[in-house]
Amino acid sequence: MELTEYTISKEFAIPAGFSSSGIQAKYYKDGFWYKKNRDGYEGLAEQICSDVLGFTNIQDYVPYEACRINGVPGCRSRNFLNPDTETFTSFETAYRYAYGRELSDRLYTLQNPEDRIKFTIDFIKDYSGLDCTEYLRTLLSFDMLVLNIDRHFHNMGLIKSDDGYRFAPIFDNGAALLSNMGIFHPDETIENNIELAVGKPFCGSFERQAMVLGTNIEIDYVGLDAYVEQIPHVRARETLRLQVERYRKFFPERKLTLDRPENLKNTGKEPVEKKRHKKKTHCR
């Protein structure tokens, strides 16, 4: 897979990029975020996940480009904020502002994911006036599909502008598709590694937390199946293929119609390698 090379000087480096798995090297230049891989093939996972969303009815997500940054594999994405008029507040930060403690700590005083999810919906409603049910329904079911093990309350959030609050687009899926080579050993089978994947942030079981709200995602399986077969990275491809088959009956099929041009956005999509531009776990 040929990756575009970006050379970014140190003056554009961001000292500390937050991830629950550690610190990732990040840069911000000319309206784009650049993030180097740290644990495996995070950059490729980011691009594949955003490409997958392109085969769904979900419109609000951040497109990623797998690339090389100063010789190191990673990814880049356009800033989803207008820096002059908008600010991002994560769910974690919002709760800390309101109550002076971590939302994640508060949730785990509750006994099950149903109560934790309800608590979060109620809090966000009180804080912003918005109902985050659909937002969570999208995130939790998509994370189940792609096995994103790093969904936390810092990459779930609100955008504030003069018009009020809205939810942030889907972003930060680099820990999906077994991309962390330290957690998911390359000598283990893909099937066994899938069983090792632990969900967040409401429960260790992806399915258990996703089933609380169900899904609002519809998938163009014809387009997605063809796309998956063209992914050059074997482990990422086979992981996604297995997950799509596993949940094919859970996610309804998207019916494309010619009278809605946005429904055709991926019918002529380039494969990953040609793009140059733009369970078993128990709840805690």
Side-chain angles (χ1 to χ4, degrees):
M1 176 180 179
E2 184 180 358
L3 301 177
T4 301
E5 175 77 36
Y6 296 99
T7 301
I8 314 293
S9 65
K10 290 182 179 180
E11 65 182 295
F12 297 104
I14 305 300
F18 179 85
S19 168
S20 65
S21 62
I23 302 300
Q24 282 186 292
K26 290 184 179 180
Y27 301 82
Y28 183 73
K29 181 183 179 183
D30 298 332
F32 282 89
W33 287 99
Y34 297 81
K35 182 169 60 175
K36 293 181 179 179
N37 290 354
R38 177 179 180 271
D39 300 308
Y41 49 92
E42 301 99 306
L44 178 61
E46 291 279 21
Q47 179 178 320
I48 292 174
C49 287
S50 63
D51 286 349
V52 169
L53 285 165
F55 291 99
T56 75
N57 59 316
I58 303 303
Q59 300 290 316
D60 201 11
Y61 62 90
V62 176
Y64 285 84
E65 174 197 0
C67 63
R68 296 181 69 85
I69 305 157
N70 300 334
V72 178
C75 62
R76 79 167 188 159
S77 60
R78 189 177 293 277
N79 187 3
F80 59 76
L81 297 173
N82 182 328
D84 296 325
T85 62
E86 297 177 333
T87 57
F88 172 78
T89 302
S90 70
F91 283 11
E92 194 74 83
T93 300
Y95 195 79
R96 194 182 309 117
Y97 283 163
Y99 296 105
R101 62 182 296 192
E102 299 295 308
L103 175 59
S104 51
D105 291 342
R106 174 65 180 89
L107 289 182
Y108 279 101
T109 65
L110 305 175
Q111 295 303 306
N112 58 66
E114 290 82 4
D115 290 344
R116 295 166 190 163
I117 289 170
K118 182 180 184 303
F119 183 93
T120 302
I121 292 171
D122 291 344
F123 165 67
I124 295 300
K125 180 71 172 180
D126 290 342
Y127 184 88
S128 68
L130 299 180
D131 183 348
C132 68
T133 301
E134 291 300 308
Y135 179 67
L136 293 181
R137 181 172 286 136
T138 302
L139 286 176
L140 297 180
S141 59
F142 184 66
D143 286 347
M144 178 182 71
L145 177 66
V146 299
L147 293 173
N148 182 6
I149 65 171
D150 198 33
R151 181 67 60 204
H152 47 75
F153 294 114
H154 287 282
N155 57 26
M156 305 162 68
L158 301 158
I159 296 174
K160 176 72 178 297
S161 69
D162 292 341
D163 297 327
Y165 287 105
R166 71 179 191 276
F167 293 110
I170 300 174
F171 71 102
D172 198 9
N173 300 297
L177 301 174
L178 308 181
S179 69
N180 190 315
M181 304 296 280
I183 296 176
F184 305 109
H185 198 276
D187 291 338
E188 188 57 85
T189 66
I190 292 174
E191 291 82 357
N192 286 345
N193 273 325
I194 286 175
E195 293 305 312
L196 293 175
V198 176
K200 292 180 182 178
F202 299 107
C203 180
S205 167
F206 285 105
E207 289 191 359
R208 175 81 186 278
Q209 65 178 8
M211 297 305 172
V212 173
L213 297 177
T215 189
N216 51 13
I217 298 176
E218 300 172 0
I219 298 176
D220 166 20
Y221 285 107
V222 174
L224 181 57
D225 289 345
Y227 169 82
V228 170
E229 293 307 312
Q230 297 181 69
I231 296 173
H233 191 285
V234 174
R235 183 155 111 164
R237 180 183 69 241
E238 291 307 302
T239 300
L240 181 56
R241 184 182 62 78
L242 288 170
Q243 287 297 103
V244 170
E245 286 305 311
R246 184 173 190 171
Y247 295 113
R248 193 173 289 264
K249 292 184 179 179
F250 178 77
F251 294 96
E253 184 169 3
R254 187 183 188 201
K255 303 298 184 182
L256 301 183
T257 57
L258 292 175
D259 60 326
R260 297 180 62 189
E262 68 272 17
N263 286 342
L264 303 178
K265 61 186 175 180
N266 279 317
T267 56
K269 197 171 188 67
E270 291 183 351
V272 173
E273 67 269 31
K274 292 184 180 178
K275 289 190 67 173
R276 301 280 295 178
H277 304 287
K278 43 149 209 203
K279 187 105 280 278
K280 297 177 181 177
T281 54
H282 297 285
C283 295
R284 177 177 165 189

